Amino acid sequence: MKMPNISDKTGSVTTLVKAFVANSPVAYIILDRQFRIHYINDSFLQLRNLDRDKAQGELCYNLSNGGQMCSVCAVSRAMQSGHREHILRKDVLPDGRVRYLDDYAIPLFQDEEGTSDYILEIMVDRSGEMNAREEMKSQFHELIRTLSSMLETKDRYTATHSAAVSRISLKIAQELGLSGKELELIEIAANLHDLGKVMIDSEVLSKPTKLTLDEYDQIKMHPVYSFEIIKDLTGFQQVKEYVLCHHERFDGKGYPNGLIGEDIPLGARIIAIADAYDAMTSSRPYRDKLSHEAAMAEICRCSGTQFDPVMVDAFLRTDPQTRYVPRIAAMNPHAMITRQISDHPVTQKKTVTDISELFSEEHICSEIIKETPIAYALLNSEYEVIYSSGHFRRIFKYADPGTKCFEASGFKEKCENCPVMQCLASNKMEKLEMVRIVEGKTRYFLCYALPVKGVNGDDYVIEILMDHTKEELMQRQMRMDYQTIIYVLSQLIVSSNPVSLEKLKFLHRICNVLCAEAGVSAEERQDILAAAALCDIEMIFGHEDEQNSGRILGNLSSLSKVQEILRHHQERYSGGGYPSGLSGDQIPLGSRMIYLAHWYFVRQSQYGHTAAMWDILMDKEDQFDPELTAMFMRRFWKGIFNTGTPLQGHLSAV
């Protein structure tokens, strides 16, 4: 790609590229064929917390791999292939922090023999996106453990059965040579396949005699219930399908949808065999367990009717009595490269090639412009595009020279809080988060504006756009999943004790009003309302036990603040409550709100609205936060006391 002829306006191309590279949020390194670093920019030093004097001139693997060549290296691959190479890398720094990097390596020069003299390495930090992805994955696994603990309390057999089905399913999947990702999905689904049984009456689950047709119909609904519980969680679509379909039969006579053959998801066909084997070899109240041999014979008999014959063959090969050892699943060729970064002392200072000489080479400038995997453009003081990179033009279809940058983004006027305008005014780098609609889709960018002086003293700006749409969407999905988790748990509460439904709605309304009166932040309000929805979570266990809410929600890091509110929602303002005897502002605000709302709900149910309101007034300095009590009275006393209007009716109109 040939650089545009812009040197007569901005100075030399070299000056422009040096300004771009030196200040870019992307890390740039230039290495020779001996892996010696000839140039690094500040972004690389910041990624690794290094000093320039220590890093420049050093061998790259001395800085990153304790003096040993990396086993998987984009630079080495580019040297061997003579072409651009790319890997996704996870670096664990000496202080334990983790960086996720897109690592690109590009040969810069070609001699007569076709070998490269230098390698340009470009690193784009993807930690935000990948950390969000890892957090989502972690939360999903934590939710599995949380829901499994509920299931264990309601039906201990079902929980231990799920663990066994998971182990057997993994053996079958490994024998089939499935990938690491597929193994993970099957393991998750196997652990969740009977989750819907928490929605079924415990007496039906543990009935020691034969089920009636109606009771059997209830049991047959558990795959649907399992699916309904997790259906709104983002991601893991295959898990949801495996859970829903694990009682389908290969001959089409299964439930809930009567799927046939390979229309049944692969994971569900695997789980079906593991589920049947463990059920047959476990004792139940209504029958004794079968022997291993009898269960295996039954599975063989049902091959081709109830079960997929290919899955049955794989299951038989995992039988330890056949002295067969399952194969280890093949490594995913697209797996992320993980590298433990170590502190390695620099043995001596190396000779460094003059950086100006490197940047005087037109080919280096051209490759930097062409290969940088982010969007950027050069703008004049009138916001006109003088030059734009290929990535910029791929994002914004109307970025021809002379186009105003905001027009390229689809706007008729300059953007609000425009970083380019701020950059021209301050003569320093400016940064702003931007939202753009590109081809009908919302995209999120970090926009950097970098000032550049032209040869005649004119002002120019390099605009750099870092696309973080994936990260933003994942954060939004996490917030949606947070609400879904609350909904799932609250529905389980209501299913265990329908009386809780009225109470949960009531507490939600009261706390919502108090949050508005107290002016709490949106994030804090979310946690308080979540705690209000879950304050009866111990009902899932059939009895009130304050420690159960901690045991359940303690597994969910996203609900840690909610758990803290729940833990203390029986504390008294004077300090006479439980479990910790906290007093005053030591008690979380949400706990104080829920205690007041809960207390009123109980008292008005027993003695009516007026008596409950008087009791709150008489006891406000002992049990209740006086300020919250004043807010409560201000909203609900006037016009209610004289008319006798129930507080619930008033709240429904709020």
Side-chain angles (χ1 to χ4, degrees), residues 104-152:
Y104 303 84
I106 303 101
L108 287 179
F109 300 131
Q110 295 288 327
D111 59 22
E112 293 180 355
E113 297 179 356
T115 57
S116 58
D117 294 323
Y118 290 96
I119 299 292
L120 170 66
E121 187 173 16
I122 303 174
M123 297 181 186
V124 181
D125 190 354
R126 289 184 58 195
S127 298
E129 173 196 338
M130 297 304 295
N131 284 333
R133 190 184 300 273
E134 288 294 309
E135 186 174 351
M136 285 183 67
K137 181 178 176 181
S138 174
Q139 284 294 90
F140 194 89
H141 284 283
E142 287 178 0
L143 178 60
I144 291 170
R145 289 190 289 270
T146 294
L147 297 176
S148 295
S149 70
M150 295 179 184
L151 188 56
E152 180 180 358

Side-chain angles (χ1 to χ4, degrees), residues 129-341:
E129 173 196 338
M130 297 304 295
N131 284 333
R133 190 184 300 273
E134 288 294 309
E135 186 174 351
M136 285 183 67
K137 181 178 176 181
S138 174
Q139 284 294 90
F140 194 89
H141 284 283
E142 287 178 0
L143 178 60
I144 291 170
R145 289 190 289 270
T146 294
L147 297 176
S148 295
S149 70
M150 295 179 184
L151 188 56
E152 180 180 358
T153 302
K154 187 158 189 177
D155 182 14
R156 185 167 184 81
Y157 161 76
T158 301
T160 55
H161 166 69
S162 294
V165 171
S166 178
R167 290 194 299 272
I168 298 168
S169 297
L170 277 178
K171 289 181 180 179
I172 299 172
Q174 287 174 333
E175 169 55 28
L176 291 168
L178 300 185
S179 70
K181 179 64 175 177
E182 290 168 316
L183 293 176
E184 178 188 18
L185 296 177
I186 289 171
E187 181 181 18
I188 292 172
N191 275 300
L192 292 178
H193 77 285
D194 276 349
L195 177 62
K197 288 184 178 179
V198 299
M199 309 292 285
I200 296 174
D201 194 324
S202 297
E203 293 183 0
V204 174
L205 291 175
S206 57
K207 186 176 180 180
T209 57
K210 186 177 180 179
L211 297 176
T212 66
L213 289 178
D214 286 343
E215 290 169 339
Y216 183 55
D217 284 341
Q218 286 187 52
I219 294 291
K220 287 169 65 176
M221 285 298 295
H222 79 269
V224 177
Y225 294 152
S226 298
F227 176 81
E228 289 292 323
I229 289 172
I230 65 173
K231 71 175 182 180
D232 291 325
L233 291 172
T234 54
F236 296 98
Q237 182 59 38
Q238 289 172 276
V239 169
K240 301 170 192 178
E241 293 173 357
Y242 297 166
V243 165
L244 179 64
C245 301
H246 75 276
H247 273 294
E248 301 287 358
R249 288 173 53 111
F250 199 68
D251 59 8
K253 297 180 181 179
Y255 59 87
N257 296 317
L259 301 181
I260 300 176
E262 294 186 1
D263 288 342
I264 305 169
L266 175 63
R269 283 177 271 153
I270 291 173
I271 293 171
I273 295 174
D275 184 26
Y277 173 81
D278 187 72
M280 287 188 287
T281 55
S282 301
S283 295
R284 299 297 287 133
Y286 50 84
R287 62 157 176 79
D288 294 330
K289 66 179 181 180
L290 298 180
S291 67
H292 167 73
E293 293 76 13
M296 296 294 281
E298 180 65 11
I299 287 174
C300 289
R301 186 184 70 81
C302 295
S303 178
T305 54
Q306 184 173 350
F307 307 119
D308 181 339
V310 175
M311 304 299 111
V312 172
D313 289 346
F315 174 61
L316 295 176
R317 293 197 299 271
T318 67
D319 182 2
Q321 295 188 16
T322 65
R323 301 180 182 178
Y324 176 80
V325 179
R327 292 194 303 264
I328 298 175
M331 180 180 177
N332 183 350
H334 303 293
M336 185 183 303
I337 307 301
T338 301
R339 186 169 69 180
Q340 185 79 37
I341 303 298

